[in-house]
Amino acid sequence: MKTNEVAILNALQSAAIILDENGDIAFANRRWNRNTGSFSLSGDKFQPSNFIEHCKVAINEGNDYALRLLFGIREVLNGTKEEFKITIKFASARANRWYKTEVSPIQLNSQKHLLLVFNPASENIKTIHRLRESEALYRQNFKYSTAGIIFGKSSGEILDVNPAACKMLGYTESELMEGGRSMIVDVDDPAHKEVVRIRNEKSVFRGEKEYKHKDGHYIPVQLTSVKYSSDDNEQHIINTFRSLQHEKTSQYTLEEERRFTKTNLS
């Protein structure tokens, strides 16, 4: 290899090796040499002289990553693919390490070789796992929350609704998603317009509101309505609410009792 080519590969922030057509390692950069043990696919001692043979040993041990990587190497070698990428978990002595492995063809000494670059991806994988766990927890909370939750657009389209909201409003999920906001809200009602005004100004509204039940009566609710921008910059709304029907009924009953008592005393 030319001096400048060696310098470029050694300057990479990722480990890199060059394989000949037999899988022998013709060159390894400094990152690879410093962390050779981090790239073992096999439980046996890592033999760095031939990477393809190492993949075969790992395949015999049942390593699916090694099998997929070997297929990718073969496909790039025979020209079926121009490049191959795969994220692999390597079992190092200290811990499992994830690397995004990229395989591409290069010419070395007028002969076809392969360049394998191993980009660290452990933090990305951990982030993905955390996001998936967070999403799973959120979906569980969404499903089993006793508060009604409605996701929608500022246009009035309902994108998602949880079981508690369906129960409070008397509609099925599909009915609410097909019918939209107009099924449960009178958009011309001054009270609704005030909610929209405050939410547009402050991005959030907290207070009382009324939703229309399927049978026609109105349900007082304690509402938190939040406006936010989605990834495509479209305005979305999250409405979280709980029914005040029981509290209102209890309050009305107390008022009636007070009036009755006052009348009798008079």
Side-chain angles (χ1 to χ4, degrees), residues 137-149 162-168 239-242:
L137 287 171
Y138 180 79
R139 293 304 301 180
Q140 287 295 311
N141 182 65
F142 178 78
K143 182 177 180 180
Y144 295 109
S145 174
T146 56
I149 304 173
N162 75 339
C166 294
K167 183 178 181 180
M168 275 187 267
N239 287 336
T240 305
F241 57 94
R242 63 182 183 86

Side-chain angles (χ1 to χ4, degrees), residues 128-175:
I128 291 171
H129 286 167
R130 284 195 293 266
L131 287 173
R132 286 176 177 172
E133 289 173 359
S134 298
E135 182 180 359
L137 287 171
Y138 180 79
R139 293 304 301 180
Q140 287 295 311
N141 182 65
F142 178 78
K143 182 177 180 180
Y144 295 109
S145 174
T146 56
I149 304 173
I150 296 176
F151 286 95
K153 295 183 179 181
S154 56
S155 62
E157 180 182 355
I158 292 178
L159 303 174
D160 202 359
V161 57
N162 75 339
C166 294
K167 183 178 181 180
M168 275 187 267
L169 300 173
Y171 290 97
T172 65
E173 178 184 345
S174 59
E175 286 175 334

Side-chain angles (χ1 to χ4, degrees), residues 248-262:
K248 295 291 185 181
T249 301
S250 298
Q251 184 179 358
Y252 175 78
T253 301
L254 287 172
E255 289 297 327
E256 286 296 302
E257 288 177 353
R258 290 192 187 100
R259 292 193 194 98
F260 179 76
T261 302
K262 186 177 180 181

Side-chain angles (χ1 to χ4, degrees), residues 12-16 29 31-32 39 84-88 90 97-103 116-125:
L12 292 176
Q13 295 299 308
S14 303
N29 73 349
R31 290 271 178 178
W32 172 273
F39 303 101
F84 177 76
K85 297 179 181 180
I86 183 175
T87 301
I88 298 177
F90 290 89
R97 294 175 177 267
W98 292 86
Y99 289 89
K100 183 179 180 181
T101 305
E102 301 177 3
V103 183
L116 276 68
V117 179
F118 302 85
N119 299 299
S122 293
E123 288 305 315
N124 292 340
I125 295 298

Side-chain angles (χ1 to χ4, degrees), residues 17-30:
I17 55 175
I18 295 177
L19 308 182
D20 64 17
E21 292 186 294
N22 297 317
D24 289 326
I25 299 178
F27 175 81
N29 73 349
R30 289 173 184 167

Side-chain angles (χ1 to χ4, degrees), residues 23-53:
D24 289 326
I25 299 178
F27 175 81
N29 73 349
R30 289 173 184 167
R31 290 271 178 178
W32 172 273
N33 290 326
R34 290 173 184 169
N35 302 282
T36 301
S38 297
F39 303 101
S40 176
L41 290 162
S42 167
D44 293 338
K45 185 178 178 181
F46 185 38
Q47 300 294 330
S49 60
N50 190 295
F51 193 75
I52 286 180
E53 290 302 318

